[in-house]
Tab-separated table of all heavy atoms in Angstrom:
chain	number	residue	atom	x	y	z
A	718	VAL	N	-7.416	140.889	9.049
A	718	VAL	CA	-6.257	140.106	9.486
A	718	VAL	C	-5.047	140.546	8.664
A	718	VAL	O	-5.000	140.335	7.451
A	718	VAL	CB	-6.500	138.594	9.310
A	718	VAL	CG1	-5.299	137.795	9.789
A	718	VAL	CG2	-7.758	138.172	10.049
A	719	ARG	N	-4.060	141.170	9.330
A	719	ARG	CA	-2.939	141.768	8.609
A	719	ARG	C	-1.565	141.276	9.071
A	719	ARG	O	-0.579	141.451	8.355
A	719	ARG	CB	-2.983	143.292	8.742
A	719	ARG	CG	-4.229	143.933	8.167
A	719	ARG	CD	-4.188	145.438	8.337
A	719	ARG	NE	-5.392	146.095	7.881
A	719	ARG	CZ	-5.649	146.449	6.636
A	719	ARG	NH1	-4.740	146.190	5.703
A	719	ARG	NH2	-6.774	147.053	6.297
A	720	TYR	N	-1.482	140.696	10.272
A	720	TYR	CA	-0.187	140.305	10.835
A	720	TYR	C	-0.189	138.816	11.197
A	720	TYR	O	-1.248	138.245	11.514
A	720	TYR	CB	0.128	141.144	12.072
A	720	TYR	CG	0.393	142.601	11.763
A	720	TYR	CD1	-0.633	143.543	11.825
A	720	TYR	CD2	1.668	143.033	11.403
A	720	TYR	CE1	-0.391	144.888	11.536
A	720	TYR	CE2	1.922	144.361	11.116
A	720	TYR	CZ	0.887	145.285	11.188
A	720	TYR	OH	1.131	146.602	10.893
A	721	PRO	N	0.994	138.179	11.181
A	721	PRO	CA	1.064	136.743	11.478
A	721	PRO	C	0.490	136.363	12.836
A	721	PRO	O	-0.151	135.314	12.962
A	721	PRO	CB	2.566	136.459	11.412
A	721	PRO	CG	3.099	137.464	10.446
A	721	PRO	CD	2.305	138.710	10.707
A	722	ASN	N	0.701	137.185	13.875
A	722	ASN	CA	0.181	136.810	15.190
A	722	ASN	C	-1.349	136.863	15.238
A	722	ASN	O	-1.977	136.099	15.970
A	722	ASN	CB	0.789	137.684	16.293
A	722	ASN	CG	0.540	139.166	16.104
A	722	ASN	OD1	0.257	139.628	14.998
A	722	ASN	ND2	0.664	139.927	17.178
A	723	GLU	N	-1.949	137.756	14.449
A	723	GLU	CA	-3.414	137.785	14.357
A	723	GLU	C	-3.927	136.507	13.707
A	723	GLU	O	-4.904	135.899	14.180
A	723	GLU	CB	-3.849	138.997	13.534
A	723	GLU	CG	-3.484	140.326	14.168
A	723	GLU	CD	-3.710	141.517	13.266
A	723	GLU	OE1	-4.061	141.323	12.078
A	723	GLU	OE2	-3.530	142.661	13.734
A	724	LEU	N	-3.249	136.089	12.657
A	724	LEU	CA	-3.630	134.864	11.952
A	724	LEU	C	-3.464	133.633	12.844
A	724	LEU	O	-4.355	132.776	12.914
A	724	LEU	CB	-2.796	134.736	10.682
A	724	LEU	CG	-3.064	133.541	9.762
A	724	LEU	CD1	-2.855	133.958	8.310
A	724	LEU	CD2	-2.118	132.388	10.089
A	725	LEU	N	-2.334	133.561	13.543
A	725	LEU	CA	-2.069	132.391	14.387
A	725	LEU	C	-3.079	132.277	15.528
A	725	LEU	O	-3.469	131.169	15.898
A	725	LEU	CB	-0.648	132.461	14.939
A	725	LEU	CG	0.464	132.237	13.915
A	725	LEU	CD1	1.832	132.525	14.536
A	725	LEU	CD2	0.417	130.817	13.362
A	726	ARG	N	-3.505	133.404	16.087
A	726	ARG	CA	-4.498	133.336	17.160
A	726	ARG	C	-5.830	132.776	16.642
A	726	ARG	O	-6.513	132.020	17.351
A	726	ARG	CB	-4.714	134.720	17.763
A	726	ARG	CG	-5.694	134.745	18.943
A	726	ARG	CD	-5.188	133.928	20.125
A	726	ARG	NE	-3.990	134.500	20.700
A	726	ARG	CZ	-4.001	135.393	21.697
A	726	ARG	NH1	-5.144	135.797	22.225
A	726	ARG	NH2	-2.859	135.855	22.161
A	727	ILE	N	-6.184	133.136	15.420
A	727	ILE	CA	-7.404	132.598	14.819
A	727	ILE	C	-7.286	131.092	14.629
A	727	ILE	O	-8.197	130.324	14.976
A	727	ILE	CB	-7.690	133.295	13.475
A	727	ILE	CG1	-8.106	134.747	13.728
A	727	ILE	CG2	-8.788	132.559	12.696
A	727	ILE	CD1	-8.163	135.592	12.474
A	728	LEU	N	-6.151	130.644	14.110
A	728	LEU	CA	-5.941	129.215	13.901
A	728	LEU	C	-5.902	128.458	15.228
A	728	LEU	O	-6.399	127.339	15.329
A	728	LEU	CB	-4.650	128.979	13.124
A	728	LEU	CG	-4.629	129.484	11.680
A	728	LEU	CD1	-3.251	129.267	11.072
A	728	LEU	CD2	-5.707	128.798	10.845
A	729	ASP	N	-5.316	129.069	16.251
A	729	ASP	CA	-5.263	128.438	17.581
A	729	ASP	C	-6.664	128.235	18.153
A	729	ASP	O	-6.858	127.372	19.024
A	729	ASP	CB	-4.452	129.306	18.554
A	729	ASP	CG	-2.958	129.249	18.266
A	729	ASP	OD1	-2.532	128.343	17.514
A	729	ASP	OD2	-2.225	130.121	18.780
A	730	ASN	N	-7.609	129.030	17.678
A	730	ASN	CA	-9.001	128.888	18.126
A	730	ASN	C	-9.852	128.116	17.116
A	730	ASN	O	-11.081	128.262	17.086
A	730	ASN	CB	-9.604	130.276	18.383
A	730	ASN	CG	-9.152	130.865	19.704
A	730	ASN	OD1	-9.742	130.618	20.751
A	730	ASN	ND2	-8.065	131.625	19.662
A	731	GLY	N	-9.186	127.307	16.300
A	731	GLY	CA	-9.902	126.440	15.368
A	731	GLY	C	-10.475	127.144	14.172
A	731	GLY	O	-11.395	126.631	13.524
A	732	GLY	N	-9.935	128.322	13.822
A	732	GLY	CA	-10.521	129.138	12.767
A	732	GLY	C	-10.054	128.811	11.370
A	732	GLY	O	-9.190	127.949	11.147
A	733	TYR	N	-10.628	129.531	10.432
A	733	TYR	CA	-10.325	129.386	9.009
A	733	TYR	C	-9.914	130.741	8.449
A	733	TYR	O	-10.333	131.785	8.942
A	733	TYR	CB	-11.545	128.861	8.250
A	733	TYR	CG	-12.087	127.580	8.829
A	733	TYR	CD1	-13.119	127.612	9.769
A	733	TYR	CD2	-11.562	126.352	8.453
A	733	TYR	CE1	-13.608	126.437	10.325
A	733	TYR	CE2	-12.051	125.174	9.003
A	733	TYR	CZ	-13.073	125.220	9.934
A	733	TYR	OH	-13.546	124.062	10.491
A	734	ILE	N	-9.109	130.700	7.379
A	734	ILE	CA	-8.580	131.919	6.792
A	734	ILE	C	-9.051	132.049	5.340
A	734	ILE	O	-8.926	131.115	4.552
A	734	ILE	CB	-7.037	131.941	6.826
A	734	ILE	CG1	-6.532	131.837	8.271
A	734	ILE	CG2	-6.505	133.205	6.156
A	734	ILE	CD1	-6.954	132.990	9.168
A	735	VAL	N	-9.574	133.223	5.023
A	735	VAL	CA	-9.948	133.559	3.647
A	735	VAL	C	-9.009	134.663	3.170
A	735	VAL	O	-8.930	135.722	3.794
A	735	VAL	CB	-11.404	134.043	3.565
A	735	VAL	CG1	-11.735	134.519	2.154
A	735	VAL	CG2	-12.360	132.943	3.999
A	736	ARG	N	-8.284	134.404	2.109
A	736	ARG	CA	-7.340	135.392	1.567
A	736	ARG	C	-7.874	135.946	0.258
A	736	ARG	O	-8.118	135.197	-0.690
A	736	ARG	CB	-5.973	134.766	1.351
A	736	ARG	CG	-4.950	135.721	0.729
A	736	ARG	CD	-3.566	135.069	0.685
A	736	ARG	NE	-2.584	135.948	0.085
A	736	ARG	CZ	-2.076	135.780	-1.143
A	736	ARG	NH1	-2.452	134.749	-1.881
A	736	ARG	NH2	-1.180	136.632	-1.612
A	737	LEU	N	-8.075	137.257	0.209
A	737	LEU	CA	-8.537	137.928	-1.003
A	737	LEU	C	-7.325	138.512	-1.725
A	737	LEU	O	-6.623	139.362	-1.186
A	737	LEU	CB	-9.533	139.029	-0.646
A	737	LEU	CG	-10.765	138.583	0.159
A	737	LEU	CD1	-11.689	139.768	0.408
A	737	LEU	CD2	-11.504	137.450	-0.535
A	738	VAL	N	-7.093	138.041	-2.932
A	738	VAL	CA	-5.918	138.432	-3.707
A	738	VAL	C	-6.340	139.390	-4.808
A	738	VAL	O	-7.317	139.148	-5.518
A	738	VAL	CB	-5.233	137.203	-4.331
A	738	VAL	CG1	-3.973	137.604	-5.083
A	738	VAL	CG2	-4.927	136.156	-3.266
A	739	ALA	N	-5.598	140.488	-4.945
A	739	ALA	CA	-5.882	141.458	-6.008
A	739	ALA	C	-4.587	142.105	-6.455
A	739	ALA	O	-3.651	142.275	-5.670
A	739	ALA	CB	-6.864	142.519	-5.521
A	740	SER	N	-4.537	142.479	-7.708
A	740	SER	CA	-3.362	143.159	-8.245
A	740	SER	C	-3.308	144.597	-7.749
A	740	SER	O	-4.324	145.160	-7.320
A	740	SER	CB	-3.406	143.154	-9.778
A	740	SER	OG	-4.514	143.930	-10.230
A	741	ASP	N	-2.125	145.193	-7.798
A	741	ASP	CA	-1.990	146.600	-7.422
A	741	ASP	C	-2.905	147.474	-8.272
A	741	ASP	O	-3.521	148.428	-7.773
A	741	ASP	CB	-0.547	147.070	-7.602
A	741	ASP	CG	0.396	146.487	-6.562
A	741	ASP	OD1	-0.074	145.730	-5.679
A	741	ASP	OD2	1.603	146.780	-6.634
A	742	GLU	N	-3.001	147.142	-9.558
A	742	GLU	CA	-3.824	147.943	-10.460
A	742	GLU	C	-5.288	147.950	-10.019
A	742	GLU	O	-5.949	148.997	-9.998
A	742	GLU	CB	-3.715	147.412	-11.894
A	742	GLU	CG	-2.355	147.611	-12.549
A	742	GLU	CD	-1.302	146.617	-12.068
A	742	GLU	OE1	-1.669	145.648	-11.356
A	742	GLU	OE2	-0.115	146.812	-12.401
A	743	THR	N	-5.792	146.770	-9.640
A	743	THR	CA	-7.180	146.678	-9.194
A	743	THR	C	-7.402	147.482	-7.916
A	743	THR	O	-8.388	148.215	-7.782
A	743	THR	CB	-7.567	145.206	-8.954
A	743	THR	OG1	-7.532	144.497	-10.195
A	743	THR	CG2	-8.974	145.099	-8.358
A	744	LEU	N	-6.486	147.347	-6.981
A	744	LEU	CA	-6.635	148.033	-5.697
A	744	LEU	C	-6.554	149.547	-5.859
A	744	LEU	O	-7.307	150.296	-5.207
A	744	LEU	CB	-5.565	147.549	-4.717
A	744	LEU	CG	-5.617	146.055	-4.389
A	744	LEU	CD1	-4.464	145.675	-3.473
A	744	LEU	CD2	-6.950	145.673	-3.752
A	745	ILE	N	-5.669	150.011	-6.724
A	745	ILE	CA	-5.564	151.451	-6.968
A	745	ILE	C	-6.814	151.968	-7.674
A	745	ILE	O	-7.320	153.054	-7.372
A	745	ILE	CB	-4.285	151.754	-7.777
A	745	ILE	CG1	-3.059	151.517	-6.879
A	745	ILE	CG2	-4.294	153.202	-8.289
A	745	ILE	CD1	-1.735	151.591	-7.607
A	746	GLU	N	-7.345	151.179	-8.604
A	746	GLU	CA	-8.597	151.560	-9.256
A	746	GLU	C	-9.733	151.691	-8.247
A	746	GLU	O	-10.634	152.524	-8.400
A	746	GLU	CB	-8.978	150.518	-10.313
A	746	GLU	CG	-8.160	150.581	-11.586
A	746	GLU	CD	-8.546	149.489	-12.558
A	746	GLU	OE1	-9.531	148.747	-12.262
A	746	GLU	OE2	-7.890	149.358	-13.605
A	747	ARG	N	-9.689	150.891	-7.188
A	747	ARG	CA	-10.741	150.915	-6.166
A	747	ARG	C	-10.526	152.011	-5.123
A	747	ARG	O	-11.356	152.164	-4.225
A	747	ARG	CB	-10.818	149.555	-5.474
A	747	ARG	CG	-11.285	148.425	-6.375
A	747	ARG	CD	-11.325	147.114	-5.594
A	747	ARG	NE	-11.809	146.013	-6.402
A	747	ARG	CZ	-12.013	144.776	-5.931
A	747	ARG	NH1	-11.749	144.494	-4.659
A	747	ARG	NH2	-12.455	143.818	-6.734
A	748	GLY	N	-9.407	152.730	-5.216
A	748	GLY	CA	-9.214	153.850	-4.305
A	748	GLY	C	-7.995	153.783	-3.415
A	748	GLY	O	-7.755	154.691	-2.616
A	749	SER	N	-7.198	152.705	-3.520
A	749	SER	CA	-5.970	152.648	-2.737
A	749	SER	C	-4.882	153.453	-3.438
A	749	SER	O	-5.120	154.087	-4.469
A	749	SER	CB	-5.526	151.194	-2.540
A	749	SER	OG	-4.434	151.124	-1.652
A	750	ASN	N	-3.681	153.440	-2.879
A	750	ASN	CA	-2.558	154.144	-3.503
A	750	ASN	C	-1.267	153.404	-3.182
A	750	ASN	O	-1.238	152.521	-2.319
A	750	ASN	CB	-2.494	155.598	-3.031
A	750	ASN	CG	-2.399	155.722	-1.524
A	750	ASN	OD1	-1.410	155.318	-0.910
A	750	ASN	ND2	-3.444	156.272	-0.902
A	751	GLU	N	-0.199	153.763	-3.878
A	751	GLU	CA	1.060	153.039	-3.736
A	751	GLU	C	1.628	153.147	-2.323
A	751	GLU	O	2.202	152.189	-1.804
A	751	GLU	CB	2.076	153.570	-4.756
A	751	GLU	CG	1.698	153.246	-6.202
A	751	GLU	CD	2.740	153.738	-7.186
A	751	GLU	OE1	3.730	154.370	-6.742
A	751	GLU	OE2	2.575	153.479	-8.397
């Protein structure tokens, strides 16, 4: 889930949202990039 309309459609269908929060440093260590 990356965009507001994706999130809203889930909520419109009675759904729940789980947000995973991580620092840039953690994400880059795991293989992402700036």
Side-chain angles (χ1 to χ4, degrees):
V718 181
R719 299 180 184 276
Y720 292 94
N722 58 339
E723 296 171 354
L724 182 146
L725 289 172
R726 183 63 66 91
I727 290 169
L728 294 176
D729 287 345
N730 282 274
Y733 305 94
I734 301 298
V735 174
R736 177 174 179 254
L737 303 182
V738 183
S740 65
D741 288 359
E742 292 77 10
T743 295
L744 299 177
I745 290 172
E746 285 177 5
R747 294 180 178 184
S749 187
N750 57 66
E751 292 182 358

